[in-house]
Amino acid sequence: MGTRTRIAAVLGAAAVAAGTVAFGVPTGSAGAAEPNLVKNPGFESGLGGWTCSAGSGTAVGSPVHGGASALKATPTSGDNARCSQTVTVRPNSEYRLSAWVQGPYVHLGASGTGTTDVSTWTPGASGWQELKTSFTTGPNTTSVTVYTHGWYGQSAYLVDDVSLTGPGGDPGDPGDPDPEPPAAPGGLTVGSTTSSSITLTWNTVQGATGYHVYQGDRRVQSVQGTSATVTGLKPATSYEFRVSAVNGAGESAKSAPVTGTTRGEDGGGNPGTGVPKHAVTGYWQNFDNGARVQKLRDVQDQYDIIAVSFADSTANPGEITFNLDPALGYGSVQEFKNDIAAKQADGKKVILSVGGEKGNVTVNDSASAARFADSAHRLMQEYGFDGVDIDLEHGINATWLTQAIRSLSAKAGPDMVLTMAPQTIDMQSTSTEYFKLALNVKDILTVVNMQYYNSGSMLGCDGKVYAQGSVDFLTALACIQLEGGLDPSQVGLGTPASTRGAGSGYVDPSVVNAALDCLAKGTNCGSFKPAKTYPGIRGAMTWSTNWDAANGNRWSDTVGPHVHALP
């Protein structure tokens, strides 16, 4: 028996044991006019009212069965991506449960009924398919849990338009868990703008589980937080926006309108940052690990972006701070701040890197996202940093980190430099959290300098496996980002400055130059040659300026002039 057959047999047996009711259940006594007792049944308010195991669920805008959103939940080998909601019901009453689903092994059920818990499932649906079941509550049952889940190790599934009909839980109320829609949002304000995007913020509305953003009369986004960035706009154009609040009872009136105007064309990349078209990034070590100890003023001139490594976390999740290491020999913090200003006067950008091998900053909810944005902005103001670098190597939540970064961008303004340094495994697919984060903030993203080291072999964009330490490894993996939605100006090649700079993956600087030529001009390629060229590719990054100095500046002296001479 094949694997798929065995799974189907197991699931079928489980469904029978759980009391599955097949499609086409009898119609109950309640009429069609009975209200839907499920809160946020179409996920128009994100995951408001729903709880998903292990952070497996998210609201998506496509594909949907109805409305503008649907649930997408992704199982793992140890989690079946269960999303559930507890609903108030009446004892000794009949209820009908249904949902539209898509994907492999999707389950729909109800537990805590007080009689026989029920579930139904489909082994696979390539398009939207309706699942239905029904149950009767016990004599003491006042609430049930409706749920959906996939199956361990299978791919993501989709759910939309969940419905539970029957008598409402409160005999004096037809059953709407949120009897009043929320009030209209206030304080709608235009924040940062680019040539193709406008960021909006507004005040929290009590009782709201989400918000809809309207561009003119057209709804363009649904979000859970109190900020959104509308993208895909035309340069130097004015747009009118309104926002409404939603909960299980419905949608509020729209807010008072605001008008935002996009900036003019700015030549690619994160507009307005002042970073060169082709740039070199170097990480500067705020510690002594045997590399050349440098003051910031000693960083080699070839580096256009200097990432100060690293910020420190605090006891408050999401919050960061910065502590200058005494080992660097600075006489005062002010001397360090003066070095930052001097580098900026020379046309360099100095940013604060968050993460690293030992850095662990957790942003996994609204509160930690706010703490990240607030603390990062304070450090930018205190030290004069031009922006931040996201170098988190211990897992990220794209939803909440997106909220944190957008909030920081709204505070810092359009000149903020935003870079990222994911590991190779983080950028193998657009479904990974790091890749999703990069695409979520693409309109304000300066460059992703993936770490092509400490990796092992990885898949290239052609589906072949490439070993680190070769020109093919650099070009075939960069191709995934270039074809996965990032602009060429947002892609850089990150390599160690010396054999001591990383545990594995060092390549001679001449190999970095060859990879850049292959991607930008189609020359000096190895066995892999991309189908097209990317002359706008941003450049290269190294860990670190200190290891580069310890190796006689060979990396920056070789790669720097080559990057700056790209077309």
Side-chain angles (χ1 to χ4, degrees):
M1 186 187 297
T3 301
R4 184 173 295 274
T5 306
R6 287 200 301 273
I7 292 174
V10 171
L11 295 178
V16 171
T20 299
V21 178
F23 302 160
V25 297
T27 301
S29 58
E34 288 180 322
N36 185 1
L37 304 181
V38 176
K39 183 178 182 179
N40 189 24
F43 304 93
E44 303 299 314
S45 303
L47 297 183
W50 294 89
T51 300
C52 295
S53 60
S56 56
T58 186
V60 296
S62 177
V64 299
H65 175 260
S69 300
L71 167 70
K72 180 179 181 181
T74 306
T76 66
S77 59
D79 180 76
N80 64 2
R82 186 178 190 268
C83 296
S84 62
Q85 179 179 142
T86 299
V87 181
T88 300
V89 294
R90 294 187 198 176
N92 297 318
S93 300
E94 183 180 352
Y95 292 88
R96 291 154 301 284
L97 175 65
S98 65
W100 289 87
V101 303
Q102 188 176 146
Y105 305 112
V106 192
H107 290 237
L108 173 70
S111 61
T113 63
T115 55
T116 300
D117 291 349
V118 296
S119 69
T120 184
W121 68 290
T122 175
S126 57
W128 288 106
Q129 175 179 324
E130 188 177 22
L131 295 182
K132 295 181 178 181
T133 186
S134 64
F135 60 90
T136 300
T137 54
N140 299 310
T141 303
T142 57
S143 67
V144 298
T145 298
V146 298
Y147 65 85
T148 181
H149 67 75
W151 199 249
Y152 303 96
Q154 299 299 305
S155 56
Y157 69 89
L158 295 158
V159 177
D160 203 357
D161 298 331
V162 184
S163 174
L164 180 68
T165 57
D170 181 354
D173 187 327
D176 194 333
D178 280 317
E180 294 292 337
L188 181 60
T189 304
V190 173
S192 61
T193 64
T194 72
S195 59
S196 61
S197 69
I198 294 175
T199 297
L200 304 167
T201 60
W202 56 90
N203 298 334
T204 300
V205 176
Q206 185 176 4
T209 58
Y211 302 90
H212 294 328
V213 180
Y214 290 85
Q215 177 185 320
D217 294 326
R218 181 171 62 94
R219 191 205 303 182
V220 292
Q221 282 193 41
S222 295
V223 299
Q224 289 180 267
T226 55
S227 66
T229 297
V230 182
T231 60
L233 307 178
K234 295 180 180 179
T237 304
S238 294
Y239 295 89
E240 183 179 272
F241 299 98
R242 297 174 188 261
V243 177
S244 66
V246 293
N247 63 17
E251 181 178 6
S252 74
K254 296 183 180 68
S255 68
V258 296
T259 300
T261 303
T262 52
R263 301 170 58 200
E265 293 283 7
D266 206 311
N270 184 9
T273 60
V275 174
K277 178 181 178 182
H278 299 294
V280 179
T281 303
Y283 285 80
W284 174 82
Q285 298 177 189
N286 179 40
F287 52 86
D288 181 4
N289 66 344
R292 176 77 57 82
V293 173
Q294 292 179 316
K295 287 186 170 65
L296 200 66
R297 71 189 74 138
D298 300 324
V299 171
Q300 302 88 323
D301 190 56
Q302 292 291 343
Y303 293 102
D304 304 293
I305 302 174
I306 304 168
V308 172
S309 312
F310 293 97
D312 297 309
S313 60
T314 75
N316 299 316
E319 185 177 54
I320 61 173
T321 187
F322 179 74
N323 298 292
L324 187 64
D325 194 329
L328 306 184
Y330 275 103
S332 66
V333 172
Q334 186 58 51
E335 183 186 356
F336 172 67
K337 294 177 181 178
N338 292 343
D339 275 3
I340 294 177
K343 279 294 181 183
Q344 292 167 332
D346 288 338
K348 313 301 182 183
K349 299 297 179 180
V350 183
I351 62 178
L352 180 60
S353 183
V354 181
E357 178 185 0
K358 299 180 180 179
N360 189 12
V361 179
T362 302
V363 180
N364 59 6
D365 57 22
S366 182
S368 56
R371 281 191 289 266
F372 180 92
D374 290 343
S375 58
H377 187 235
R378 283 196 302 268
L379 293 173
M380 288 179 65
Q381 291 180 308
E382 179 181 356
Y383 288 89
F385 293 122
D386 293 294
V388 294
D389 167 69
I390 305 300
D391 187 17
L392 297 173
E393 298 180 6
H394 299 277
I396 65 171
N397 182 307
T399 299
W400 294 113
L401 199 50
T402 296
Q403 178 175 314
I405 291 172
R406 290 213 174 275
S407 179
L408 174 59
S409 174
K411 297 173 184 291
D415 293 340
M416 186 182 83
V417 176
L418 173 63
T419 69
M420 297 182 186
Q423 301 171 97
T424 53
I425 190 67
D426 296 321
M427 302 298 282
Q428 282 278 280
S429 165
T430 55
S431 65
T432 64
E433 290 297 292
Y434 233 121
F435 213 137
K436 287 192 289 187
L437 173 65
L439 294 176
N440 286 350
V441 296
K442 179 180 175 181
D443 57 300
I444 56 172
L445 177 63
T446 307
V447 63
V448 175
N449 292 303
M450 190 172 75
Q451 303 174 44
Y452 293 78
Y453 50 92
N454 295 338
S455 165
S457 299
M458 287 285 159
L459 290 171
C461 67
D462 57 354
K464 297 180 180 179
V465 177
Y466 293 93
Q468 65 178 354
S470 66
V471 66
D472 287 334
F473 188 74
L474 301 181
T475 54
L477 268 68
C479 174
I480 297 175
Q481 300 170 60
L482 292 162
E483 293 301 311
L486 294 182
D487 189 84
S489 67
Q490 295 172 320
V491 177
L493 308 180
T495 64
S498 73
T499 55
R500 298 178 65 194
S504 63
Y506 172 78
V507 294
D508 189 87
S510 62
V511 176
V512 180
N513 289 351
L516 290 168
D517 286 344
C518 179
L519 294 168
K521 299 181 286 188
T523 61
N524 292 329
C525 299
S527 62
F528 172 80
K529 185 172 183 178
K532 62 181 180 181
T533 58
Y534 309 92
I537 190 164
R538 179 66 84 172
M541 172 275 282
T542 197
W543 177 269
S544 61
T545 65
N546 306 75
W547 285 117
D548 186 23
N551 199 36
N553 299 329
R554 186 163 183 271
W555 192 94
S556 58
D557 285 347
T558 303
V559 176
H562 197 81
V563 167
H564 296 139
L566 287 171

